[in-house]
Amino acid sequence: MSVRVLVVDDSPVMRKMLKRTIELSKLAASEILEAENGVKALELLEVQWVDLVLTDLHMPQMTGEELLRHMSQHDLLKDVPVIVVTSDQADDARSRVGALGCSAFLKKPFRPEQLSELAEKVLGRMPEVRRDAV
Amino acid sequence: MTPSETNEGLLEQVLKETAEQAAFLFLDGEGSAANSDVELVHATITLSPAGASEQLVLRMTEVMAREIAANMLGSDKDDPEVVSSANSAVGELLNIIAGAFAVARFGKGTHCDIGIPVVAAGRGPEGKGVTLWSDGSPIELLRAS
């Protein structure tokens, strides 16, 4: 099953890293879209279906937390799995995004296999991760 | 108080660990005075724990910035994509350092806003901190004064 992934991060080098990690994983991504903040991500999500969103938290214009809030209030987007990939390690960041329906939380720096394993899990191969990973 | 309990000790610890984990760069305290002719790049980021505010500065040569970008992307230093990503890599490295420093200094239970890294050419702000080295090239992590 091929998937379409949206990578949201204001750092170009991090978007490239995430994109390469997904390309080299077993996810068989048919397309990897990129957005530099939550506003651009929502614009893309309005016109393109994606199977998985990877998002940073701290971004200009619209943060990852605000993006999650918008998605959680949208009938078509609320069930799209979201993995938050962030350098923010504080407990309150985890709990806030967890409350907004984030599927998993990955701390930067990460190993490529950590991301690919987590992505496979939240895409339904191990549904319990959606409850436990946050 | 052990070195790791001081601010400089924490800066050294998070710089070493983050550079190794995020950019596969192994740093130590051995090096000689930096060549003043080399082009420098710096990134700044603001941490705001509980109403306070402080700024971290990461400074290095442009050549080192390119090496970090190459390591992050798994490409050659001369790859055009690496060259165009060098400044972004410095900002991202500081972003990750800031997250680790915030937890080490204030604890996981303390809310700390982490700003957006800003990258520019030149030395940037001065402050107190640490200088570590990789292959004779310095990397400085400072708390801006």
Side-chain angles (χ1 to χ4, degrees):
Chain A
M1 181 187 77
S2 67
V3 296
R4 183 182 283 156
V5 180
L6 172 60
V7 171
V8 191
D9 199 307
D10 58 316
S11 163
V13 75
M14 185 51 65
R15 289 200 303 272
K16 287 174 190 166
M17 275 181 70
L18 290 167
K19 198 172 173 181
R20 287 192 180 185
T21 301
I22 294 295
E23 284 168 351
L24 294 171
S25 75
K26 296 173 186 168
L27 283 177
S30 58
E31 191 173 7
I32 304 172
L33 307 169
E34 295 182 45
E36 63 196 51
N37 57 51
V39 172
K40 300 282 185 189
L42 283 176
E43 286 173 3
L44 276 171
L45 290 167
E46 287 291 332
V47 295
Q48 298 225 45
W49 174 258
V50 305
D51 302 285
L52 176 65
V53 175
L54 308 177
T55 184
D56 188 16
L57 282 184
H58 302 288
M59 296 178 288
Q61 293 190 50
M62 182 188 286
T63 66
E65 192 174 333
E66 291 167 319
L67 170 62
L68 268 165
R69 185 171 292 112
H70 276 87
M71 290 179 68
S72 70
Q73 294 166 351
H74 193 294
D75 283 344
L76 291 177
L77 301 178
K78 64 185 180 188
D79 292 325
V80 175
V82 179
I83 299 176
V84 167
V85 185
T86 180
S87 63
D88 192 337
Q89 303 173 26
D91 290 338
D92 69 329
R94 280 182 183 241
S95 56
R96 285 199 312 271
V97 297
L100 290 170
C102 153
S103 305
F105 192 97
L106 184 60
K107 176 175 79 75
K108 296 177 187 175
F110 57 86
R111 296 191 310 278
E113 59 270 27
Q114 284 179 292
L115 174 61
S116 51
E117 285 169 12
L118 207 50
E120 285 183 52
K121 287 173 181 173
V122 300
L123 282 169
R125 285 142 206 181
M126 286 180 67
E128 67 273 18
V129 169
R130 297 197 61 176
R131 293 193 304 273
D132 300 339
V134 174
Chain B
M1 184 177 277
T2 66
S4 65
E5 289 171 317
T6 65
N7 283 328
E8 282 73 22
L10 284 180
L11 290 172
E12 180 173 338
Q13 181 186 327
V14 296
L15 176 56
K16 263 187 178 174
E17 290 178 1
T18 309
E20 184 178 332
Q21 292 167 11
F24 311 105
L25 201 65
F26 297 91
L27 303 174
D28 60 39
E30 300 297 318
S32 54
N35 182 346
S36 58
D37 293 336
V38 297
E39 300 291 331
L40 295 174
V41 60
H42 71 276
T44 56
I45 198 166
T46 302
L47 299 178
S48 306
S53 179
E54 67 179 70
Q55 194 177 46
L56 293 181
V57 184
L58 183 66
R59 180 161 59 219
M60 65 187 71
T61 66
E62 287 187 350
V63 173
M64 177 58 70
R66 199 181 294 183
E67 181 169 341
I68 288 172
N71 290 355
M72 282 181 161
L73 295 174
S75 296
D76 189 87
K77 274 189 281 191
D78 297 324
D79 182 335
E81 195 171 48
V82 165
V83 174
S84 68
S85 298
N87 280 8
S88 172
V90 178
E92 187 57 34
L93 184 60
L94 181 59
N95 180 41
I96 299 172
I97 286 170
F101 182 72
V103 165
R105 180 139 188 254
F106 309 115
K108 274 197 164 190
T110 301
H111 175 75
C112 178
D113 282 326
I114 299 173
I116 309 290
V118 177
V119 185
R123 286 189 61 80
E126 298 297 341
K128 287 186 175 177
V130 294
T131 303
L132 296 176
W133 302 77
S134 174
D135 290 334
S137 188
I139 296 183
E140 295 174 87
L141 179 61
L142 312 168
R143 291 174 65 213
S145 48

